[in-house]
Amino acid sequence: NDRIGVLFVNPFKKIIEKYRRLPKLAKYRYTAYYEKLPVSEDTILIECFNGDGITGNPFWLLKAICGDKRLARYKLYVAANQKHYSEVCRALKVHGLDRATALAKYDKLYLKLLASAKYLITDVSLPIFFIKKPGQILLNVWHGTPLKGLGRSIRDNPHAIGNVQRIFLMSDYLLYPNRFTFDRMREDYMIAPYF
């Protein structure tokens, strides 16, 4: 009978939909964790390039922390987005950074740690809903020397600077590779009056 068709049901449809909604729902979960979780004094959360890997300054800080016996009490976590999760896990293993645990960005543990880790390290920014809790220490260890337009120098995307600027202003420590980068960031993100 040519009226009979085949119906294919994707068994992964619910899982795929759940992961599509995660960033949108994350702000609500984060707010609940922010309000009820205390700061965990012995926890460090590292996020590199919005979860795209573990490289640059965050990598070297992680390596130094893992190699320092005086810092053995700290629990270390590295945030990875869904696309790069397996790469981050592999990098931690290859470089002998077994003390660090990879976690999926926007999952429950990530949101809990974002709201409660004593130390937060990033080389770009953190989610737009992040608010630094009293007692948390935010290190922004920018990822390189700008050889391209940044902040307000990007003419076709002026609204995109807001979250990076906000993270700079919340940071307790800013790390730059040289004076040129420091001056560029201050000017392009309009934070010069504060630093």
Side-chain angles (χ1 to χ4, degrees):
N1 187 338
D2 57 343
R3 290 182 180 219
I4 297 176
V6 176
L7 176 64
F8 174 74
V9 177
N10 184 345
F12 300 106
K13 185 175 181 180
K14 286 184 181 181
I15 295 169
I16 291 167
E17 191 55 38
K18 176 185 169 192
Y19 280 102
R20 271 196 199 125
R21 289 191 327 258
L22 269 176
K24 295 174 187 168
L25 298 174
K27 63 184 170 187
Y28 302 110
R29 282 196 176 133
Y30 171 77
T31 301
Y33 296 141
Y34 180 91
E35 290 174 349
K36 68 181 184 181
L37 293 176
V39 172
S40 176
E41 296 292 325
D42 61 351
T43 305
I44 300 171
L45 175 62
I46 298 171
E47 186 170 317
C48 184
F49 282 111
N50 299 311
D52 281 356
I54 181 69
T55 59
N57 291 329
F59 170 79
W60 292 108
L61 283 170
L62 177 61
K63 193 165 175 111
I65 294 165
C66 286
D68 191 332
K69 291 179 182 169
R70 296 170 298 172
L71 303 175
R73 71 182 178 95
Y74 287 93
K75 291 177 243 148
L76 304 167
Y77 298 90
V78 177
N81 60 37
Q82 186 181 5
K83 183 177 177 183
H84 294 98
Y85 182 80
S86 60
E87 292 170 33
V88 169
C89 291
R90 191 170 32 256
L92 294 175
K93 187 174 183 176
V94 165
H95 294 287
L97 303 172
D98 299 331
R99 279 191 49 212
T101 302
L103 56 97
K105 193 168 175 179
Y106 300 118
D107 76 358
K108 276 186 184 181
L109 181 57
Y110 170 81
L111 297 171
K112 284 180 179 181
L113 291 170
L114 195 60
S116 67
K118 173 73 174 185
Y119 299 97
L120 302 154
I121 300 171
T122 183
D123 65 349
V124 180
S125 68
L126 293 168
I128 198 157
F129 53 79
F130 169 75
I131 301 168
K132 189 177 79 153
K133 183 183 282 190
Q136 286 185 309
I137 296 175
L138 176 57
L139 290 82
N140 192 310
V141 294
W142 196 256
H143 56 269
T145 301
L147 301 174
K148 60 181 182 179
L150 294 173
R152 65 180 175 180
S153 295
I154 302 173
R155 305 250 184 255
D156 60 343
N157 203 8
H159 68 282
I161 73 169
N163 192 46
V164 176
Q165 181 185 50
R166 193 177 69 85
I167 296 299
F168 281 142
L169 294 173
M170 277 193 277
S171 296
D172 296 287
Y173 299 96
L174 301 172
L175 176 68
Y176 296 100
N178 51 56
R179 185 69 198 194
F180 170 78
T181 302
F182 178 66
D183 292 341
R184 277 283 22 103
M185 301 306 274
R186 290 174 69 216
E187 185 178 324
D188 287 346
Y189 286 99
M190 299 173 283
I191 57 173
Y194 308 102
F195 298 101

